Each structure stands twice: as C-alpha cells, then as structure tokens.
Amino acid sequence: MKTDVNWMQLSQLAVSHVVHAFYSTPEMERPWFSIPAILERWWTNKVFKFESEEHYWSIKQRLIDGLHLLLMEDKSDSPLILFEQHQVFVKELQVELMQILQLVLRSEDGEPSDYIVRKYIVDEDEDMIALFQHLTAVFCASAFGRLPLQIEVLSVLSGNRLVTHPTQESLQGSIDYMKLVTSLMPEAASEPMQIRKTQGSAECRRCPFLEECIGQAETAEAVMM
C-alpha cells in the first residue's frame, strides 16, 4: 500500500533537514547558521499539497520563525546521536522495535550518564506524540539500559514544548501501551516486527536524509517514528 504525503509531512521533511544541518554545524559556527537558506534548499515546490498558495508561503515563514526560536537559542553541546536509526529486541513485547532518533543530547543536570531525547515536529497530533513518548521510553530502556532523563517534543509551528520525565514506575505503563499497539498489528503474533507508522512525519526509512528522500517519502509503504 502506498501512502500520499500531505503538506505537514513535506514540511516535516524540510524541518528535519534544517535540524540535521544545524546540529552538524560546529558549535562555534552556529550563531551564523542560516535557517532560511537551508530550509530553501529542501522546501517543496508542491504548492498544490497546501490549502492555498497563501497557506504555502505562510507555513514556510512560520517554520523559519519557529526554527529560529527553537534552534538559535539552544546552547546544547554536539548531540550524542543525530538522526540515527537504531533497533532493539524488547523481550517484554517479544518484538523488535526500530526508531530513528533525531537528537540524543547530554543532560546538563543529573549524572554524567543522563541524556535527553528530543524530537522537532510539525504535526502536533496528540496520539502520535503519545506513541512517540511511550515508544521512546521502552526503546531506550532496552537499547541503552537506562531511561532518558527527559523526552522532549518541540512543535515548530506552535512553539509548544512537551516534556516528559520517564521513570521506572512509568515504564511499565509505557510497556503496557506498546503491548496494546503491537496487539493491534496482525504480524506481531507471527514474527519479530518493526513498529512503523503510515502517517505523521516524513522521516523516511533511509535516514540520514538522501537527496532522493522526498520521492521515497511519497511512495514509501510506511514512515517510521
């Protein structure tokens, strides 16, 4: 089954490229980082995917403004993980989880081994955010042997910052949530699976991003978290 991308997915793809480029830039050079220039490089010309031509230009400017607010004021060190795909078998679920981690950052508070998982989004869908939060908690606990100090979801369009602090107590709730998710997927009962979604962000399976990724995103069967 093929999925057709919408304007939020195309916008997410451009945003992800900007975030990737920003955190790939040496910290000393970030004050001169040009968000408009990088966004322009990856911005879609598919005006018909938007509600109108005015909407097309409005979203572009709002993304530039939102990214400037969220990125240029960030004083984080170079990330530990930047747009990397990881996978792990979770014995509690008896499934293999695969996740693209946008950013894993060192925590300035707490212990040296503490870390933060951060995701920049365009589509502020509550269900998909909840899935991301629970998936990330379960994934990180299994893959890294330690829960993140916090999970951050930053909305580029609204500026909202949704922050959760997973604990060993809340982890069981996340496992139960993911058990429900996997039980609704028919392939879960027969073989190890990869948790994917078919709508939401446009971060395709081949990440970090390649020049052809827009074409792949338009024809991909599934888009991962």
Side-chain angles (χ1 to χ4, degrees):
M1 180 183 67
K2 294 183 179 180
T3 59
D4 188 30
V5 297
N6 56 37
W7 68 266
M8 284 186 288
Q9 291 173 297
L10 292 171
S11 298
Q12 178 70 56
L13 186 61
V15 163
S16 295
H17 276 293
V18 174
V19 173
H20 184 274
F22 178 82
Y23 284 101
S24 297
T25 300
E27 295 168 49
M28 294 179 60
E29 299 177 17
R30 289 182 193 168
W32 297 276
F33 183 83
S34 176
I35 290 173
I38 302 300
L39 186 74
E40 183 66 33
R41 184 183 304 172
W42 297 104
W43 185 241
T44 179
N45 61 359
K46 301 182 185 300
V47 181
F48 65 92
K49 293 286 187 177
F50 292 74
E51 296 173 7
S52 64
E53 185 173 352
E54 181 181 357
H55 183 241
Y56 172 86
W57 292 109
S58 173
I59 291 297
K60 183 179 181 181
Q61 186 59 53
R62 287 175 62 192
L63 291 176
I64 291 172
D65 294 342
L67 285 166
H68 191 277
L69 179 65
L70 295 174
L71 292 179
M72 302 308 289
E73 295 182 1
D74 184 41
K75 306 301 181 183
S76 300
D77 294 336
S78 297
L80 301 170
I81 293 176
L82 177 62
F83 284 91
E84 292 180 10
Q85 176 180 301
H86 293 261
Q87 62 188 65
V88 65
F89 181 79
V90 181
K91 62 180 180 179
E92 293 90 346
L93 304 177
Q94 287 298 296
V95 299
E96 184 177 74
L97 297 184
M98 183 181 294
Q99 187 171 14
I100 292 174
L101 297 167
Q102 280 193 6
L103 285 174
V104 176
L105 301 161
R106 295 179 181 84
S107 172
E108 296 180 0
D109 305 316
E111 313 217 349
S113 56
D114 285 337
Y115 64 96
I116 295 168
V117 177
R118 180 182 298 167
K119 183 179 180 71
Y120 293 84
I121 64 170
V122 174
D123 185 357
E124 213 167 339
D125 180 84
E126 292 183 2
D127 290 337
M128 295 314 302
I129 291 174
L131 175 57
F132 169 75
Q133 291 169 333
H134 289 297
L135 169 62
T136 300
V138 174
F139 182 90
C140 289
S142 295
F144 306 137
R146 186 181 182 90
L147 286 166
L149 187 66
Q150 60 191 49
I151 299 171
E152 303 175 350
V153 179
L154 278 55
S155 173
V156 179
L157 286 178
S158 70
N160 290 337
R161 298 171 181 257
L162 306 173
V163 179
T164 56
H165 298 84
T167 64
Q168 289 300 323
E169 291 73 22
S170 68
L171 178 59
Q172 186 56 53
S174 293
I175 292 172
D176 292 341
Y177 185 100
M178 294 307 301
K179 282 181 179 178
L180 177 61
V181 170
T182 57
S183 71
L184 299 176
M185 297 183 177
E187 66 268 41
S190 58
E191 60 182 347
M193 60 174 293
Q194 298 168 348
I195 300 299
R196 297 192 181 110
K197 62 177 181 174
T198 57
Q199 295 181 353
S201 71
E203 294 159 20
C204 65
R205 281 176 289 182
R206 300 185 65 184
C207 183
F209 304 108
L210 303 178
E211 290 186 359
E212 66 268 31
C213 61
I214 291 181
Q216 291 174 349
E218 291 180 321
T219 59
E221 290 184 5
V223 181
M224 292 194 313
M225 268 298 198

